[in-house]
């Protein structure tokens, strides 16, 4: 695994070579293993765990303990992919000291190799302090779900000139603060292209068009395991939710009809 292990340095080299970076969320041991076996470069233990695994309406109720628990389950899979864990709502906004301590928990207790946090100018000081503590930081700009109430919902960001200019400026601020990459969520493709061209660090897009250095999607969206809603940027590569229901219906039927267990399953 040593040669294959993805590091923050390798991601920077991939950008320099023009090689696209693949990133996917995972929240437990089996999802992490399948993503790693598929050759995903970066696994994000996202706070989207709150919606697709824990059944919340948003990411806001997710706690540090939730994130540590799920990050541990992912890192037990001993992955070639770089493991990035999300700092959840209120774990880094209050103070620089709390931001460093909580980033440290994701690394020390969870086994993460990097952390991600949302926002631009207001988090720059926190990014600097976490990086100074030796923890790589991924930024997240555009539609930042932890601030959805303030943004007026889940809407594309940066359509007007002023917001677009601010997003470019904030991406550069994050780079200067030491971030090793930045997620761009729900921004116009041309804006994502401008940011990608201006930064030395990789951009990872989700609903940000094809010009980013990499792409990220949520595991359950890609595999058709979450159907409460489907944003325009999601492409489903499988319908596993439907396959699971069909398989479980067959199991129920076979038990009821006395077909399962057969002789081959009996002692
Ligand atoms: O939590 C998450 O899944 C994310 C991705 C959508 C980037 O932050």
């Amino acid at each position: 695994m040593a040669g294959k292990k993805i590091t923050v340095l390798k991601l920077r080299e991939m950008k320099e070579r023009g090689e696209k970076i693949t990133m996917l969320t995972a929240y437990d041991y089996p999802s992490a293993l399948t993503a790693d076996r598929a050759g995903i470069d970066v696994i994000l233990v996202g706070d989207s765990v709150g919606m697709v695994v824990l059944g919340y309406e948003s990411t806001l109720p997710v706690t540090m303990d939730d994130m540590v628990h799920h990050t541990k389950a992912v890192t037990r899979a001993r992955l070639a992919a770089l493991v990035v864990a999300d700092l959840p709502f209120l774990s880094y906004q209050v103070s620089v000291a709390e931001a460093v301590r909580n980033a440290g928990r994701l690394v020390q207790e969870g086994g993460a190799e990097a952390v991600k946090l949302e926002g631009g100018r207001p988090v720059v000081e926190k990014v600097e302090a976490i990086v100074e503590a030796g923890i790589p930081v991924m930024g997240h700009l555009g539609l930042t779900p932890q601030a959805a109430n303030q943004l007026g919902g889940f809407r594309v960001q940066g359509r007007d000139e002023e917001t677009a200019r601010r997003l470019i400026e904030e991406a550069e601020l994050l780079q200067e603060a030491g971030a090793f990459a930045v997620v761009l969520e729900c921004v116009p493709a041309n804006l994502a292209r401008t940011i990608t061209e201006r930064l030395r660090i990789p951009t990872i897009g989700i609903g940000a068009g094809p010009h980013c250095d990499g792409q990220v999607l949520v595991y359950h969206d890609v595999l058709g395991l979450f159907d409460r809603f489907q944003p325009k940027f999601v492409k489903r590569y499988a319908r596993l939710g439907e396959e699971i229901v069909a398989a479980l219906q067959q199991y129920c039927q076979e038990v009821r009809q006395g077909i399962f267990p057969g002789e081959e399953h009996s002692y």
Side-chain angles (χ1 to χ4, degrees):
M1 187 160 101
K4 269 179 35 199
K5 180 67 199 167
I6 303 291
T7 62
V8 295
L9 230 70
K10 282 196 183 168
L11 297 181
R12 176 77 78 96
E13 289 164 6
M14 286 173 80
K15 174 171 179 127
E16 284 160 9
R17 286 197 298 267
E19 228 176 279
K20 291 284 187 187
I21 296 164
T22 57
M23 175 160 141
L24 187 69
T25 65
Y27 313 99
D28 56 19
Y29 184 81
S31 58
L33 270 186
T34 48
D36 206 51
R37 283 175 189 160
I40 294 290
D41 298 311
V42 182
I43 288 181
L44 171 68
V45 189
D47 59 356
S48 50
V49 68
M51 297 165 88
V52 298
V53 174
L54 303 177
Y56 295 131
E57 292 289 323
S58 75
T59 59
L60 299 183
V62 176
T63 64
M64 268 307 298
D65 286 345
D66 291 331
M67 290 309 301
V68 168
H69 175 77
H70 285 276
T71 304
K72 276 181 177 174
V74 164
T75 56
R76 273 183 213 119
R78 302 176 57 78
L79 307 167
L82 179 80
V83 179
V84 181
D86 257 341
L87 278 161
F89 180 57
L90 279 195
S91 68
Y92 59 94
Q93 288 90 343
V94 176
S95 71
V96 171
E98 277 191 40
V100 175
R101 182 137 345 258
N102 284 321
R105 278 194 71 194
L106 292 174
V107 172
Q108 194 170 49
E109 297 175 43
E113 292 151 326
V115 300
K116 176 167 81 59
L117 49 70
E118 297 181 7
R121 195 176 288 279
V123 300
V124 164
E125 233 192 316
K126 284 121 185 178
V127 172
E128 278 169 351
I130 297 169
V131 171
E132 240 169 72
I135 300 169
V137 177
M138 178 179 273
H140 185 157
L141 290 172
L143 169 53
T144 44
Q146 292 175 18
N149 288 328
Q150 196 173 38
L151 297 174
F154 292 81
R155 318 148 58 104
V156 177
Q157 301 294 307
R159 278 203 161 125
D160 60 290
E161 229 174 273
E162 193 191 325
T163 318
R165 214 173 316 113
R166 181 176 52 75
L167 286 173
I168 295 170
E169 210 177 279
E170 291 191 317
E172 289 177 336
L173 281 174
L174 288 173
Q175 174 175 267
E176 293 323 308
F180 73 90
V182 59
V183 168
L184 300 176
E185 179 163 354
C186 279
V187 301
N190 279 340
L191 173 59
R193 190 214 299 250
T194 303
I195 295 174
T196 301
E197 287 172 355
R198 286 172 81 136
L199 294 189
R200 298 181 302 278
I201 58 173
T203 59
I204 312 288
I206 175 163
H211 311 294
C212 293
D213 298 303
Q215 297 292 328
V216 57
L217 282 176
V218 167
Y219 187 90
H220 293 62
D221 288 338
V222 169
L223 296 176
L225 287 166
F226 181 76
D227 55 12
R228 209 160 72 210
F229 59 87
Q230 188 182 335
K232 175 181 159 84
F233 58 69
V234 167
K235 180 168 178 183
R236 271 198 190 146
Y237 287 84
R239 299 192 167 274
L240 295 194
E242 290 167 23
E243 280 196 43
I244 289 170
V245 173
L248 298 181
Q249 279 172 336
Q250 190 181 345
Y251 166 65
C252 290
Q253 201 178 22
E254 291 194 2
V255 169
R256 287 176 188 135
Q257 292 174 350
I259 296 170
F260 177 82
E263 247 177 63
E264 69 275 33
H265 308 112
S266 306
Y267 299 97

